[in-house]
Amino acid sequence: MPRQKTDVAAQLASRCISRTLGVPVEVNDADGQQGAHDLLLTYGGRTIAVEVKLVVDPKHRAADAKSSQLGYTLQPNLTYSWTIHLAQEKKWQRALARTPSLLVELEAHGATPRTAHHFWQRDAELLLEFGQLGIDAVFCVPPTEKHPPGYYVMPASWGGGVPEIDQAVSSACELMNSRAMIKLRRQLAAADADERHAFLIYGWEYMEAVPLSQDGALPGLAPTLPSGIDGVWLSTTASESPTIVWTSEAGWLRAARWG
């Protein structure tokens, strides 16, 4: 029989719930039950089914891993140390093949650390090629001993405004009500339990992770949960991340940390 893959997210959630409520938590999605909700526990005489979801962006993570794998590429025929940002949703093969000659051409046409970031936007042909290759931005700085002439290839910049905690909760509720969480809703709906909880763990590539990873104020509003879901736990992949939990009986509470 093939060995079942360990679900790290479910393990973290199980540990957090057990420490918060002081009761054992059973792994339910195992021993022939794969596809069922992840966790099952009894608290206050009621059975609670929990489905755990790791909220990450595979394209962003794949691009970040590729960038780390490439590292810094030395290019003696360059004058500067360059950074080139590529769109995460595009395949990088063409851009990677073109990058060395493209940077040489930019320098030959007069791009400098002061002008490189907008130099290409003034040339219609370059602008078109950057769009086709998925190049989001380029920058350069004078070389140093640590970074002689060469370049980094990195994912396009990401992020945005950091939401307040109530905004982060609203975003989590929208996600739970979306098509992306059909499986979560289906698995919890099929659970033979008195209560059904969703446990979302946000990755660092989502701005919602910022307020959720901090010990700030608790949310001031009750979440708008999908029909049939009675509680929600929210946390992040950060080491020893804080976790908050909402139930109709207790409202918002701080839960135990991973560690």
Side-chain angles (χ1 to χ4, degrees), residues 2 71 83 90 92 108 110-111 121 161 163 166 183 199 214 216 225 241 249:
T83 300
K90 288 245 187 183
W92 286 13
Q121 297 174 342
D166 282 324
K183 185 178 179 181
F199 199 123
Q214 300 172 348
L225 298 175
S241 178
E249 295 83 6

Side-chain angles (χ1 to χ4, degrees), residues 5 16 27 33 37 47 70 82 89 101 125 147 153 172 213 220 222 233 241 244:
K5 186 177 180 180
C16 174
V27 176
Q33 295 294 322
H37 57 279
T47 56
L70 292 170
W82 288 80
E89 63 273 10
S101 59
E125 290 187 7
H147 291 102
V153 176
S213 65
W233 304 66
S241 178
I244 56 176

Side-chain angles (χ1 to χ4, degrees), residues 114-156:
R114 190 168 58 87
T115 65
H117 65 286
H118 59 76
F119 185 90
W120 55 276
Q121 297 174 342
R122 300 176 179 178
D123 186 305
E125 290 187 7
L126 277 177
L127 189 62
L128 178 62
E129 184 176 14
F130 273 43
Q132 292 172 338
L133 295 174
I135 297 175
D136 181 72
V138 293
F139 303 92
C140 66
V141 295
T144 64
E145 183 177 348
K146 183 177 180 181
H147 291 102
Y151 60 89
Y152 278 116
V153 176
M154 304 181 70

